[in-house]
């Protein structure tokens, strides 16, 4: 029987029940956040000045047919509470309405742009994790290397991702011609955007991870492990890293929101498809259905990634699985 199944079976041990409560509680809080995001999207349309039909069509002048379609779609002849539950039900089913600027349904439109953004975000996270682990493991408790690493990390943290992206484009695309300038046609086109997006995040995580690793290497258990005759590399990788990782995982959960906003800017710099381009176009053209759907989708992505990070705590710290603080 799997651990997950054992954790929720009736009559399971206290540790399994505590683990199941924590997992279900985190999922429930994520659902509440998504409900709040959908509710705010609905209220923003209701309390905005002007007629809702004019708000939905943006800068266009609605024809009688378009106005009738919008009134039917939003149920404007119904009480507000009925409109709210109708909107909530449609969003839950993936129906984000219709963009009258683009003459297309918003759901399929966003769905076609989610994968390029997720691909860039995951590549940026991979760059950040590899950079942070490399800098921390190679420089912890090594004074000279640690000072050099701190200088590099300070430079990267102080550098905006869009400026770093422009520098990378100038060096590796325009001058050395190693990577393509723009687009999403191959894996090589993902390298520079991922570096621009992930290095600053990796620098922050690397600083925290190195300090935590240095503290872990001074703990009594490290001396005990050394007495077993293990190598320094084994001590760092198999024993100290697990103790040092929790603060960095906590920080990563907070930084994910910034990573998503950085993805929007990075997509513009490198001319990549994705939610960034469609969001900017929607804001410039006042395409409200697309803007609302993008906000809700961004909240869903943030909740999903932060939930995954929170569940990593349970994997890293056995005390949390037993219900400890």
């Amino acid at each position: 029987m799997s651990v997950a199944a054992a954790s929720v079976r009736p009559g399971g041990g206290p540790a399994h029940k505590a683990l199941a409560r924590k997992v279900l509680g985190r999922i429930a809080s994520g659902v509440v956040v998504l409900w709040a995001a959908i509710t705010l999207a609905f209220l923003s349309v209701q309390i905005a000045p002007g007629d809702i039909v004019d708000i939905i069509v943006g800068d266009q002048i609605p024809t009688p047919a378009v106005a009738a379609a919008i009134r039917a779609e939003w149920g404007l002849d119904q009480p507000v509470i009925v409109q709210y539950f109708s909107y909530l039900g449609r969003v839950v089913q993936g129906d984000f309405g219709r963009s009258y600027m683009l003459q297309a349904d918003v759901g399929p439109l966003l769905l076609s742009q989610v994968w390029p953004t997720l691909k860039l975000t995951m590549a940026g996270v991979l760059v950040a994790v590899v950079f942070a682990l490399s800098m921390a493991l190679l420089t912890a408790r090594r004074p000279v290397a640690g000072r050099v690493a701190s200088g590099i990390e300070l430079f990267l943290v102080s550098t905006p991702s869009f400026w770093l992206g422009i520098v990378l484009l100038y060096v590796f695309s325009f001058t050395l011609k190693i990577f393509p300038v723009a687009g999403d046609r191959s894996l090589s086109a993902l390298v520079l955007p991922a570096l621009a997006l992930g290095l600053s995040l990796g620098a922050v995580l690397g600083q925290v991870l190195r300090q935590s690793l240095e503290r872990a290497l001074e703990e009594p258990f490290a001396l005990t492990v050394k007495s077993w005759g293990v190598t320094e590399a084994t001590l760092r990788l198999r024993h100290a890293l697990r103790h040092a990782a929790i603060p960095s995982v906590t920080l990563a959960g907070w930084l994910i929101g910034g990573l998503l906003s950085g993805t929007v800017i990075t997509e513009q710099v490198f001319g990549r498809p994705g939610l960034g381009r469609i969001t900017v176009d929607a804001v410039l053209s006042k395409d409200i259905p697309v803007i609302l759907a993008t906000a809700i989708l961004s909240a869903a992505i943030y909740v999903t990634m932060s939930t995954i990070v929170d569940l990593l705590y349970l994997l890293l710290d056995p005390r949390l699985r037993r219900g400890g603080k």
Side-chain angles (χ1 to χ4, degrees):
M1 179 178 291
S2 67
V3 174
S7 65
V8 296
R9 67 181 181 181
H16 293 160
K17 292 180 179 177
L19 175 61
R21 281 197 300 270
K22 285 184 176 296
V23 172
L24 293 176
R26 189 62 187 85
I27 293 174
S29 64
V31 172
V32 171
V33 172
L34 287 178
W35 167 76
I38 297 171
T39 302
L40 284 175
F42 176 80
L43 291 177
S44 65
V45 174
Q46 294 292 329
I47 65 178
D51 188 79
I52 290 180
V53 173
D54 295 330
I55 295 172
I56 297 299
V57 299
D59 291 335
Q60 292 183 325
I61 299 176
T63 63
V66 169
I70 294 174
R71 294 187 183 283
E73 175 187 345
W74 283 76
L76 298 182
D77 57 339
Q78 301 290 326
V80 174
I81 188 67
V82 176
Q83 296 177 34
Y84 168 68
F85 282 109
S86 174
Y87 179 76
L88 188 63
R90 287 191 289 116
V91 171
V92 169
Q93 297 175 40
D95 181 5
F96 293 94
R98 184 171 179 79
S99 167
Y100 294 92
M101 299 291 293
L102 302 175
Q103 294 298 316
D105 290 336
V106 177
L109 187 67
L110 290 187
L111 194 61
S112 65
Q113 302 297 319
V114 166
W115 174 237
T117 297
L118 280 180
K119 186 167 59 175
L120 176 57
T121 303
M122 289 188 292
V125 170
L126 179 63
V127 168
V129 171
V130 171
F131 181 84
L133 286 175
S134 302
M135 297 296 275
L137 290 171
L138 294 175
T139 63
R141 296 189 70 185
R142 291 166 180 159
V144 176
R147 283 194 287 273
V148 173
S150 295
I152 296 173
E153 290 162 354
L154 181 60
F155 169 76
L156 292 174
V157 170
S158 308
T159 304
S161 61
F162 72 88
W163 188 85
L164 182 59
I166 293 173
V167 172
L168 292 173
L169 275 176
Y170 176 77
V171 175
F172 294 102
S173 296
F174 295 119
T175 304
L176 300 178
K177 301 185 185 303
I178 297 176
F179 298 104
V181 176
D184 186 28
R185 297 178 182 174
S186 63
L187 188 61
S188 62
L190 188 62
V191 175
L192 295 185
L195 289 174
L197 186 64
L199 282 178
S200 58
L201 174 62
V204 176
L205 297 179
Q207 288 178 329
V208 175
L209 184 59
R210 182 170 56 257
Q211 293 174 0
S212 301
L213 192 59
E214 289 174 344
R215 286 195 295 269
L217 290 172
E218 294 174 355
E219 294 289 334
F221 80 86
L223 184 61
T224 302
V225 173
K226 278 185 178 179
S227 68
W228 297 344
V230 303
T231 63
E232 179 70 15
T234 302
L235 170 63
R236 291 177 179 237
L237 282 171
R238 294 190 57 184
H239 301 280
L241 182 60
R242 185 168 183 172
H243 290 265
I246 292 177
S248 298
V249 172
T250 304
L251 184 62
W254 285 98
L255 294 176
I256 284 176
L259 188 67
L260 287 173
S261 61
T263 303
V264 172
I265 299 173
T266 304
E267 287 176 350
Q268 293 296 303
V269 172
F270 289 91
R272 293 177 56 84
L275 294 177
R277 172 177 293 181
I278 202 170
T279 301
V280 172
D281 292 343
V283 170
L284 293 176
S285 60
K286 300 180 182 177
D287 196 345
I288 297 299
V290 175
I291 295 173
L292 296 180
T294 305
I296 295 171
L297 190 60
S298 298
I301 295 174
Y302 176 80
V303 166
T304 301
M305 297 185 73
S306 62
T307 300
I308 293 173
V309 170
D310 284 352
L311 294 181
L312 280 177
Y313 297 153
L314 306 178
L315 183 66
L316 292 172
D317 193 341
R319 294 171 299 178
L320 298 177
R321 296 199 293 269
R322 292 193 298 267
K325 301 293 184 183

